Structure formats: structure tokens, C-alpha cells
Amino acid sequence: MPTFVFSAITPHGYEILEDLSPHNPALMEKTRQSMQTLGFGMAAAKPETIIVLTPHGTRIDGQFAVACSARMKGTLEFAGRQQTMECTVDRELARAIVKAATDDHLAVGALQYATSDGPLACLALDWGAQIPLSFMPDVPVVVITPSRLVSMADHLRFGESLARAVAKSGKRVGLIASCDWAHAHDASGPYGYHPSAAKLDKRVVQLLKAGEIEALGDFSPDFIEEAKPDGIWQSLILAGAIARDVRRIKFLSYEVPTYFGLICCEIEERAAND
């Protein structure tokens, strides 16, 4: 049986949410439609828990950070609008992932806030998690934030640890790698323009369509710095969790409506003997 009931690579631009794009709701319509498709697929898979890999959560330098608080809550503010979300954390699975990674000699931290339980035990829910979760069924979550100070190889290994914990749990689990891509497509954007942005995104699209997610880890540090993607590390965790020989990628969309690239993919996981 597949380890994950449904998996996806999604973006997390604010204006994907129509409520946060009141002045130009068509801006990210292509991506929004793909996100709705992914949300329908996740809902049909009936997960008990959804794991979100996000670059924007509470980070620990040199460690994978796993939210183990009782709850998470976040408020997005954009274009004069607000959206608040509160999620229950699947603490049992979160702690199992921490243990599996620790057993594999990976640097990992279990994050909590204020108290071990109760109303104060609530960590911030970042936009990298909240935006894709806005399209998904309302179930408990596990939110994980990688560190770019950890090697690319260890991101793959962490994915293997994560998958082992999920398989051992016996739960129906969905997996989302929340990823925006190159952030240097537009001179007027906050990171300016660099020609490497278009080159990196083109290569990412090629690799994803070919199912070669692991190859994202081969990009040079200079190329990454020039293009400024934030999706490589979460994608590598997903690649470690769903091995090349059992994955098939259904590529839904790519667009660059502002200064950063947006990609939506479904990752179909087959049984190893299929």
C-alpha cells in the first residue's frame, strides 16, 4: 500500500486566495484552479492528517523543525483583507517523525510553545502552510520546516525517516511540499531581476515532469542564490519520502504572474510491486 494517500507540490503566494486578491482576482487564477483540483484530490483521499513542509515556519538553524504544540494559528493580511486559520496538531505523528529522524542521526527539533498542553500551547501557522491548507480538508496537521544549513542529502534522508514514521503509524496521511520557485523574475520585485530565475524555473519544470525531483539538489549554490527559489528543500524531503521507483508526477500548472514562480503538481504513489 502507498505510504501517503495523496501528495502534492503547491505554491503559497497570498493572491492565490481569492479573498486576498480583491483588486485583481484573475492574477493567479491559473494556479488557483490547480490548487482547487489538488484540494478535491486530497479530500477524496480522506486523510486523517496532512503533513505540510514549509520554508516559512519557525526555523532552527541546522535542524529540521517539527511543530509539536497542541495547536497552530495564523492570520494572513494582504490588500486590506484578513484570513485566520487554526489547526489541531497531530502530536502523536509529529513526535513519531522526530523520533524516526533522531534514530537516523539527523538533526531535528520538536517545537512547542508556552505549555505542554492547553490553550496556550499554540505555535504560529505561517503562510507557507496556511495557503495550501486553505484548499484542503480540515483535519489535524503536522508542520515541518527544513533548514538550508542542512545538506541536500540529509533532506532526502529526512524524507525517508518521515515516510517510515507515517507507515508505522497506520494512519491515512497526506503530504504537501509548499514551494514557491525563483523570486527574481521582476526588477520591481523585492529581490530584483536576475536571468537565472527563468533558467532555474525552466529546469525545475523539466525535472518535475521527468519525475527527477532528487536532481534539484544538484543546483549550484551560486545558481540558487541568483534565482532565489524557496522550493528545493521541501521538494527534496518529498523525494526522500516517495521514492523515484514508486512515484509518478502529474504536472498541473506553472506561471509567473508577479516576481516569483508558481508550480502545482500531484505526486501519485504506486505500490512498489506495481
Side-chain angles (χ1 to χ4, degrees):
M1 291 292 292
T3 303
F4 300 95
V5 296
F6 190 88
S7 304
I9 294 173
T10 75
H12 47 255
Y14 276 47
E15 290 154 295
I16 299 170
L17 302 181
E18 192 168 359
D19 286 348
L20 298 185
S21 188
H23 306 304
N24 187 5
L27 181 66
M28 296 184 181
E29 178 63 25
K30 181 179 181 179
T31 295
R32 188 179 303 128
Q33 291 178 359
S34 294
M35 294 288 277
Q36 290 167 347
T37 297
L38 293 172
F40 293 146
M42 183 73 82
K46 295 181 170 56
E48 300 171 66
T49 300
I50 296 174
I51 297 172
V52 185
L53 312 171
T54 171
H56 301 304
T58 303
R59 291 184 284 184
I60 307 173
D61 283 351
Q63 295 187 44
F64 297 96
V66 182
C68 293
S69 61
R71 297 177 299 112
M72 301 186 77
K73 185 176 181 179
T75 298
L76 305 178
E77 298 184 5
F78 193 79
R81 302 285 187 91
Q82 286 190 346
Q83 177 179 297
T84 297
M85 176 180 288
E86 185 170 347
C87 300
T88 299
V89 175
D90 185 337
R91 303 176 87 182
E92 179 182 38
L93 182 57
R95 289 166 176 160
I97 293 168
V98 171
K99 183 181 185 305
T102 301
D103 289 347
D104 289 338
H105 307 289
L106 291 163
V108 59
L111 297 174
Q112 298 193 85
Y113 177 78
T115 60
S116 59
D117 209 341
L120 295 178
C122 184
L123 282 166
L125 184 68
D126 69 285
W127 69 97
Q130 184 170 341
I131 289 170
L133 285 172
S134 298
F135 294 87
M136 303 297 156
D138 183 10
V139 298
V141 302
V142 175
V143 176
I144 300 172
T145 303
S147 169
R148 299 184 188 184
L149 299 180
V150 176
S151 71
M152 300 295 194
D154 277 355
H155 281 76
L156 291 167
R157 290 182 58 222
F158 183 83
E160 294 171 359
S161 303
L162 184 154
R164 190 173 72 253
V166 169
K168 187 175 179 180
S169 76
K171 294 183 177 181
R172 297 181 61 81
V173 177
L175 178 61
I176 295 172
S178 180
C179 308
D180 288 338
W181 296 95
H183 283 62
H185 284 279
D186 189 336
S188 65
Y191 304 100
Y193 171 79
H194 199 286
S196 289
K199 294 176 183 177
L200 183 138
D201 277 7
K202 180 179 180 180
R203 184 60 178 149
V204 170
V205 170
Q206 291 171 340
L207 291 172
L208 291 178
K209 287 182 175 180
E212 300 291 346
I213 307 175
E214 292 86 350
L216 296 175
D218 296 334
F219 291 156
S220 73
D222 288 345
F223 190 36
I224 292 171
E225 176 58 28
E226 291 165 355
K228 295 180 169 51
D230 72 13
I232 293 172
W233 301 267
Q234 302 83 257
S235 295
L236 289 177
I237 295 174
L238 184 147
I242 304 175
R244 177 69 179 88
D245 60 345
V246 298
R247 93 169 72 104
R248 185 168 74 87
I249 295 181
K250 182 178 180 181
F251 194 93
L252 299 183
S253 62
Y254 168 72
E255 65 173 340
V256 190
T258 58
Y259 62 91
F260 56 97
L262 307 172
I263 291 174
C264 291
C265 297
E266 177 185 347
I267 289 77
E268 298 179 348
E269 184 180 358
R270 307 183 300 273
N273 58 354
D274 283 359

